[in-house]
Amino acid sequence: MCADRDFAYGAAAGLLGDLFLGDPRRGHPVAAFGRAASAVEGVLWRDHRGWGALHAVVCAGGAAGAAALASSLVRGSRTGSVALTAAATWAVVGGTSLGREARAIGGALAAGDVEVARERLPHLCGRDPQSLDADGIARAVVESVAENTSDAVVGALVWGALGGVPGLVGFRAVNTLDAMVGHKSAKYRRYGWASARLDDVLGWPGARLTAVLAAAAGDSPRGAVRAWRNDAARHPSPNAGPVEAAFAGALGVRLGGTLSYAGRVEHRPVLNGEGRGVEVADIERAVRLSRRIGLLTLGVAAAVSTMRKGRSS
């Protein structure tokens, strides 16, 4: 039973580190992975799915393999195991920085400074800020908080519970690759296909758990479940759909609709059409819901780790 406690203690310490420290301004491990992945892409890039799949295997497999090696080196030390889990959790979880960035944009909007909000929005999501008014920016922030709660917090902890430090690191590596090459631009439509599909597969359990916890921790559990059931499948993303729909229902707001990425306009379905339009104050509500979900996920992850270790012993 020590191993499951090691994960629980380490993950809790890592979340506390994220809460009080946030992401480092320089030398973030995820940024270092991104630079390494870009270097690999520079060597491997071809307009072909096979080469893109190789890129995903080399980068994500290399990261998970390095984490597995580190785990094996501290296997005999409980202190070392907890410390490694804490460091890995802090490195891959980004809940505090997500909340800070969302609140900074919300503060600018509350002060009536839409231009500052537009300048900060690219730090949070890939929307075209110049095409958005204050309400559009607020909606983009709430949607980004919802999706990144699943990607940057819940999904990582789920895979950490299932696979230890290699699970934590491997999930974040795949999620980062999807952000880098998984979008449908002309350059990455084929090369990024494998990274995008792998992210869909690994993100599936975390997205559903996020939706469940949004319903449990939100202001309107029935609204969250109803929006998830009625609207999630209409979203083009199999994982963002349940998460954004559940957040919309839990907060009582409408999400989705027309948006623009890099000059490309998309008309997405409205989620929780019975809700009201997003207001600036809803950004703070979304951040608080995200934080509650993160804390609940820690408990779920510790329980999953305990059951996994119990079955293997």
Side-chain angles (χ1 to χ4, degrees):
M1 293 293 289
C2 287
D4 58 274
R5 290 199 298 268
D6 291 352
F7 173 81
Y9 295 153
L15 283 181
L16 285 174
D18 177 63
L19 176 63
F20 290 111
L21 301 175
D23 292 334
R25 296 184 182 274
R26 297 181 180 179
H28 197 295
V30 175
F33 170 80
R35 290 191 294 272
S38 293
V40 173
E41 179 190 340
V43 174
L44 295 181
W45 189 90
R46 306 288 191 281
D47 190 17
H48 190 276
R49 285 185 176 183
W51 286 96
L54 179 60
H55 177 245
V57 169
V58 169
C59 294
L69 176 60
S71 296
S72 69
L73 293 176
V74 300
R75 187 165 295 156
S77 168
R78 185 171 191 187
T79 300
S81 179
V82 171
L84 180 63
T85 302
T89 302
W90 169 77
V92 306
V93 169
T96 295
S97 293
L98 171 65
R100 286 176 181 171
E101 203 59 55
R103 282 170 168 154
I105 297 171
L109 291 175
D113 200 336
V114 178
E115 286 305 316
V116 169
R118 287 187 178 127
E119 290 175 4
R120 297 196 69 103
L121 187 62
H123 295 286
L124 192 63
C125 65
R127 307 281 176 89
D128 290 333
Q130 298 306 318
S131 67
L132 298 174
D133 59 11
D135 290 342
I137 293 173
R139 175 168 64 85
V141 171
V142 171
E143 290 173 353
S144 295
V145 168
E147 186 171 1
N148 282 293
T149 298
S150 177
D151 289 341
V153 182
V154 180
L157 289 174
V158 166
W159 282 102
L162 295 173
V165 172
L168 279 167
V169 173
F171 173 81
R172 188 57 192 270
V174 169
N175 188 248
T176 303
L177 287 177
D178 178 59
M180 294 176 66
V181 304
H183 43 87
K184 296 181 180 179
S185 65
K187 181 177 181 179
Y188 294 121
R189 186 174 298 275
R190 282 182 283 271
Y191 187 82
W193 180 86
S195 293
R197 297 291 78 74
L198 186 57
D199 184 67
D200 286 343
V201 172
L202 295 187
W204 196 94
R208 273 70 193 170
L209 179 58
T210 303
V212 168
L213 296 181
D219 295 337
S220 176
R222 288 185 179 180
V225 172
R226 182 177 61 250
W228 179 8
R229 183 180 65 244
N230 294 341
D231 301 331
R234 300 165 57 212
H235 196 286
S237 169
N239 294 330
V243 172
E244 292 184 18
F247 259 73
L251 297 172
V253 300
R254 293 191 307 274
L255 298 178
T258 302
L259 51 84
S260 176
Y261 285 101
R264 186 181 74 253
V265 176
E266 294 185 15
H267 300 284
R268 292 186 178 177
V270 172
L271 306 175
N272 192 40
E274 299 177 2
R276 56 174 173 77
V278 176
E279 301 172 353
V280 174
D282 294 316
I283 293 176
E284 177 64 26
R285 295 176 62 224
V287 170
R288 290 180 179 178
L289 177 58
S290 174
R291 180 160 293 182
R292 291 195 296 271
I293 289 171
L295 293 174
L296 289 172
T297 302
L298 176 62
V300 173
V304 169
S305 178
T306 299
M307 290 188 292
R308 181 174 63 87
K309 296 299 182 180
R311 289 178 180 177
S312 63
S313 61

